[in-house]
């Protein structure tokens, strides 16, 4: 649980970064159509949620700064019988005023009138530059005379980079639920099941443990499907003797987890699979060892590239001088992605990787990122020795940067061959 005081503190910080005579506006996101008149489950916009803690659609948060002071205003849905009959209960103006530590609350119908008032005499407007056009149109209608437009998302996403204790608690909870899902699947007999049946098991564990949603569509990739990085069809049979790459993580109270394990369908790795697996695992361990404050992500990527290139030579996929192979990016077809990404309210947290001057941001206490090396050897790739074709392996953990190193938040999800095989045997 994030306390209302924490949301207020975030708004204080945001206001302190705004220029002295300005207004900032944040919108909740819209429902998204799945087909015709059906919609996807609603998920609040992460920046709006970070600043307000409010989950309802059709809401707006405004900060109005004048000199050293600022005022916060929340616009909420009107409580209307018919609307509530169809769409569910709304918090309403009175309850919202009691719950949130904002200065004023109005119903949404009052927005345009109030917004016009707030804009008077202001010189800049902060809004999210990725806002959908329907909302930009509203802003244009009222704020076209304002000369200076600034991107509020940039400021908030910078703030989201370092997680608070309360946020870390929620991330840990998400990872714990995800742990259950992964360990369950390791124990399960998976032969001749369809990939989406395992996806159902994963989602059952998420929901059954209080996580309403996944943080992203689970990748349940049997055999060669693991070599499609964004494989989410999940509709093939799992074959005896194949591996299965499971990239699945739940979202708990808006916070993500993002874990990959690559496990055997029948519980036992073949010698070839073991060989590739341990090369990926060793790469991951080498990268983890280097993690501490002030280290840059690009250094971690370098360690991964070096280790994977060596691994590809050892497997006979690449030949030649390691330095040259790296310089010519020969590893890229087999390890095309980065070593990891920020994680928080979004699985790929939209926090910056570079500072205002274009310099790479170093790791610091409270940041959370994934570490996910992989080797992907497609079944049709003739440059891969035959015995390794069709093997795709990724191992992904979520780590928190601490005072002097890191904490692997997903360390309880076993990942050595021995531990995974033992779990199946039980
Ligand atoms: N699950 C998405 C990723 O690993 O980045
Ligand atoms: Mn990831
Ligand atoms: Mn992942």
């Amino acid at each position: 649980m994030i306390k209302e005081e924490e949301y207020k503190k975030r708004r204080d910080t945001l206001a302190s970064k705004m220029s002295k005579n300005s207004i900032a506006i944040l919108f909740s996101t819209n429902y998204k159509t799945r087909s015709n008149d059906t919609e996807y489950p609603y998920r609040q916009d992460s920046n709006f949620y970070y600043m307000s803690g409010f989950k309802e659609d059709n809401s707006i948060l405004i900060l109005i700064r004048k000199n050293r002071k600022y005022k916060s205003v929340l616009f909420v849905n009107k409580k209307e019988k018919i609307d509530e009959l169809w769409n569910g209960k709304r918090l309403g103006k009175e309850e919202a005023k009691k719950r949130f530590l904002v200065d004023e609350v109005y119903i949404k119908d009052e927005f345009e009138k109030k917004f016009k008032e707030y804009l008077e005499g202001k010189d800049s407007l902060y809004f999210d530059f990725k806002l959908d056009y329907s909302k930009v149109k509203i802003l244009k209608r009222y704020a076209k005379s304002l000369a200076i437009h600034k991107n509020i998302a940039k400021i908030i996403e910078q703030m989201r980079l370092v997680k608070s204790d309360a946020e870390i608690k929620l991330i840990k909870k998400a990872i714990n639920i995800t742990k259950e899902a992964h360990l369950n699947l390791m124990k399960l007999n998976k032969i001749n099941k369809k990939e989406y049946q395992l996806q159902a098991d994963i989602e059952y564990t998420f929901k059954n443990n209080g996580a309403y949603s996944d943080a992203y569509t689970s990748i349940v990739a049997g055999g060669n499907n693991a070599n499609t990085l964004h494989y989410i069809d999940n509709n093939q049979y799992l074959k005896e003797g194949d591996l299965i790459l499971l990239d699945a993580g739940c979202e708990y109270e808006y916070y993500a987890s993002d874990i990959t394990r690559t496990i055997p369908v029948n519980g036992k790795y073949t010698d070839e699979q073991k060989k590739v697996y341990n090369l990926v695992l060793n790469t991951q361990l080498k990268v983890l060892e280097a993690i501490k404050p002030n280290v840059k992500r690009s250094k971690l990527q370098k360690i991964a590239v070096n280790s994977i290139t060596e691994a590809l030579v050892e497997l006979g996929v690449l030949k030649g001088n390691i330095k040259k192979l790296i310089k010519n990016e020969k590893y890229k077809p087999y390890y095309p992605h980065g070593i990891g990404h920020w994680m928080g309210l979004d699985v790929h947290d939209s926090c910056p990787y570079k500072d205002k001057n274009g310099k790479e941001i170093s790791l610091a206490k409270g940041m959370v990122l994934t570490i996910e090396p992989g080797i992907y050897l497609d079944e049709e790739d003739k440059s891969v020795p035959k015995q390794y074709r069709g093997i795709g392996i990724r191992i992904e953990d979520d780590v928190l940067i601490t005072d002097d190193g890191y904490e692997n938040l997903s360390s309880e999800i076993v990942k050595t061959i021995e531990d995974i095989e033992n779990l199946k045997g039980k």
Side-chain angles (χ1 to χ4, degrees):
M1 255 275 291
I2 311 258
K3 292 203 172 99
E4 292 309 325
E5 286 77 10
E6 184 164 336
Y7 289 110
K8 167 143 189 334
K9 245 175 77 190
R10 292 174 187 170
R11 291 190 291 271
D12 292 348
T13 306
L14 175 59
S16 75
K17 292 173 190 284
M18 289 164 59
S19 59
K20 286 208 172 68
N21 195 29
S22 64
I23 174 165
I25 185 162
L26 280 163
F27 291 88
S28 61
T29 195
N30 296 338
Y31 273 91
K32 294 179 180 66
T33 302
R34 179 177 179 273
S35 180
N36 189 21
D37 59 353
T38 57
E39 285 151 343
Y40 289 106
Y42 187 72
R43 166 56 159 79
Q44 187 56 280
D45 173 79
S46 291
N47 285 339
F48 181 86
Y49 187 73
Y50 187 77
M51 282 299 157
S52 68
F54 196 33
K55 297 176 181 175
E56 282 184 28
D57 71 308
N58 202 29
S59 320
I60 301 172
L61 177 70
I62 295 186
L63 304 187
I64 306 138
R65 174 154 175 191
K66 193 152 192 229
N67 299 321
R68 298 174 71 84
K69 291 212 173 115
Y70 87 99
K71 179 167 85 169
S72 56
V73 185
L74 187 65
F75 291 87
V76 303
N77 287 289
K78 198 179 191 171
K79 277 182 87 64
E80 276 179 321
K81 273 221 161 72
I82 289 287
D83 173 50
E84 290 193 328
L85 171 67
W86 285 93
N87 300 317
K89 296 283 182 214
R90 304 292 198 172
L91 190 61
K93 182 174 154 178
E94 274 72 35
E95 286 305 310
K97 184 71 187 80
K98 275 188 224 161
R99 190 176 119 192
F100 300 111
L101 302 175
V102 291
D103 297 307
E104 293 171 19
V105 180
Y106 298 102
I107 55 163
K108 177 71 181 310
D109 298 354
E110 297 179 87
F111 164 70
E112 301 206 6
K113 183 173 133 251
K114 288 279 171 194
F115 186 48
K116 229 156 95 181
E117 273 173 41
Y118 299 146
L119 281 168
E120 263 169 46
K122 296 288 176 297
D123 52 38
S124 6
L125 173 69
Y126 292 77
F127 66 98
D128 186 341
F129 283 8
K130 284 194 293 218
L131 211 56
D132 59 82
Y133 190 64
S134 63
K135 286 166 186 147
V136 173
K137 247 180 19 201
I138 299 173
L139 296 183
K140 275 193 173 157
R141 198 176 321 145
Y142 294 98
K144 59 171 170 280
S145 56
L146 241 61
I148 308 165
H149 288 175
K150 296 185 181 176
N151 192 356
I152 196 173
K154 283 259 178 295
I155 305 175
I156 299 173
E157 288 161 6
Q158 172 74 37
M159 289 168 61
R160 283 169 52 187
L161 198 44
V162 171
K163 274 66 182 171
S164 70
D165 291 346
E167 289 183 287
I168 290 165
K169 257 195 189 159
L170 294 176
I171 291 172
K172 284 184 174 174
K173 176 80 183 174
I175 292 170
N176 252 320
I177 295 170
T178 294
K179 174 183 83 177
E180 294 302 319
H182 278 270
L183 295 182
N184 280 345
L185 287 195
M186 287 179 192
K187 294 173 195 160
L188 216 68
N189 186 356
K190 297 170 279 290
I191 302 169
N192 293 333
K193 284 203 169 173
K194 280 250 171 140
E195 293 162 338
Y196 59 67
Q197 288 180 275
L198 296 201
Q199 185 179 3
D201 278 318
I202 293 167
E203 289 171 4
Y204 171 80
T205 309
F206 289 173
K207 284 204 160 68
N208 201 35
N209 286 282
Y212 170 69
S213 175
D214 42 34
Y216 51 94
T217 304
S218 304
I219 296 172
V220 184
N224 193 57
N225 295 334
N227 294 315
T228 302
L229 294 178
H230 288 159
Y231 179 80
I232 50 168
D233 287 349
N234 301 344
N235 58 5
Q236 299 300 305
Y237 279 107
L238 296 169
K239 287 193 224 88
E240 162 105 62
D242 274 353
L243 292 177
I244 174 162
L245 184 152
L246 294 159
D247 185 347
C250 73
E251 178 179 289
Y252 182 79
E253 277 300 315
Y254 284 74
Y255 283 83
S257 56
D258 182 9
I259 307 291
T260 308
R261 291 292 181 264
T262 310
I263 62 177
V265 169
N266 66 3
K268 283 261 173 237
Y269 293 84
T270 65
D271 288 345
E272 292 75 22
Q273 291 164 349
K274 274 184 189 167
K275 176 98 184 159
V276 185
Y277 188 94
N278 280 330
L279 289 167
V280 177
L281 181 58
N282 286 338
T283 299
Q284 204 218 23
L285 296 177
K286 269 189 232 167
V287 173
L288 287 170
E289 232 171 70
I291 297 179
K292 58 180 185 212
N294 296 321
V295 167
K296 293 195 171 68
R297 214 173 51 112
S298 58
K299 182 180 171 191
L300 305 180
Q301 178 70 5
K302 235 178 167 167
I303 295 170
V305 162
N306 200 71
S307 174
I308 283 176
T309 306
E310 282 175 3
L312 292 167
V313 169
E314 194 174 328
L315 293 169
V317 178
L318 298 180
K319 286 177 193 64
N321 175 277
I322 299 283
K323 271 196 185 143
K324 258 197 195 155
L325 291 170
I326 291 173
K327 194 168 163 257
N328 296 325
E329 298 191 330
K330 294 292 184 197
Y331 58 86
K332 271 255 167 99
Y334 313 102
Y335 171 50
H337 55 74
I339 188 58
H341 49 83
W342 309 131
M343 193 190 80
L345 279 173
D346 284 287
V347 61
H348 296 163
D349 229 14
S350 47
C351 311
Y353 289 93
K354 288 181 180 164
D355 67 15
K356 279 200 292 257
N357 306 315
K359 253 185 72 191
E360 191 182 357
I361 292 174
S362 297
L363 301 180
K365 185 185 172 188
M367 293 178 179
V368 174
L369 78 161
T370 67
I371 298 296
E372 48 179 308
I375 292 182
Y376 309 94
L377 306 171
D378 194 84
E379 64 185 1
E380 288 177 11
D381 189 335
K382 299 282 185 290
S383 58
V384 173
K386 230 179 182 159
Q387 67 271 31
Y388 299 124
R389 285 182 206 161
I391 296 177
I393 289 165
R394 177 165 66 254
I395 304 170
E396 176 174 30
D397 283 304
D398 302 335
V399 310
L400 166 70
I401 309 303
T402 59
D403 274 321
D404 53 0
Y406 71 95
E407 182 185 346
N408 183 352
L409 302 177
S410 43
S411 62
E412 288 176 20
I413 310 176
V414 295
K415 62 182 173 187
T416 64
I417 285 181
E418 196 184 1
D419 285 346
I420 291 170
E421 288 189 344
N422 279 343
L423 213 59
K424 174 63 177 67
K426 274 179 191 158

